[in-house]
Amino acid sequence: QVQLVESGGGLVQAGGSLRLSCVASGGTFSRYSMGWFRQAPGKSREFVAAISWPGSSTNYADSVKGRFAISRDNAKNTVFLQMNSLKPEDTAVYYCAATRLITTQVMASRYDYWGRGTQVTVSQ
């Protein structure tokens, strides 16, 4: 059983940056592909970014491409989401997820484990 704990969320002005972290425990982190999703009030959960377990490939939603960067440190069992040029529409709860599948996954149903989320609020 893998446990995921996100951190790094907060309140930031538009144009600012945040770095989210997700620490995994209870499994072999290096053998899980990781993803970040987000859910805004009244909206369904949406894919943000993913990284394969070898770390050799990444995938991004069009809405964040060029602004967000996902990375991982297998030695620290941690996946990161660097968020730059933040916009008010990026406001959401951000969730970290893990899947045993080797390739990056954009569908939430492909993930086996989820964290509880961290709130990101971007003000005008």
Side-chain angles (χ1 to χ4, degrees):
Q1 188 78 6
V2 176
Q3 292 82 42
L4 303 172
V5 179
E6 303 95 335
S7 63
L11 173 64
V12 64
Q13 288 188 329
S17 299
L18 282 175
R19 189 191 196 202
L20 305 184
S21 300
C22 172
V23 179
S25 61
T28 305
F29 176 75
S30 60
R31 292 304 181 101
Y32 287 88
S33 293
M34 303 297 294
W36 285 96
F37 288 76
R38 66 187 181 187
Q39 187 166 16
K43 296 187 177 181
S44 58
R45 192 169 297 190
E46 66 172 358
F47 169 76
V48 175
I51 187 167
S52 62
W53 65 256
S56 56
S57 64
T58 57
N59 195 1
Y60 297 93
D62 287 343
S63 58
V64 306
K65 205 169 290 184
R67 300 189 297 123
F68 290 12
I70 188 171
S71 61
R72 65 190 297 160
D73 185 339
N74 288 342
K76 295 182 178 180
N77 289 357
T78 303
V79 62
F80 304 97
L81 185 68
Q82 178 66 44
M83 305 187 296
N84 300 324
S85 303
L86 282 161
K87 305 175 181 179
E89 50 264 44
D90 293 318
T91 295
V93 177
Y94 282 71
Y95 298 91
C96 171
T99 174
R100 295 182 183 90
L101 299 173
I102 294 176
T103 56
T104 58
Q105 303 296 319
V106 301
M107 294 179 61
S109 60
R110 296 297 185 96
Y111 287 82
D112 304 298
Y113 303 102
W114 291 83
R116 293 189 174 184
T118 184
Q119 176 71 46
V120 171
T121 304
V122 185
S123 62
Q124 295 280 5

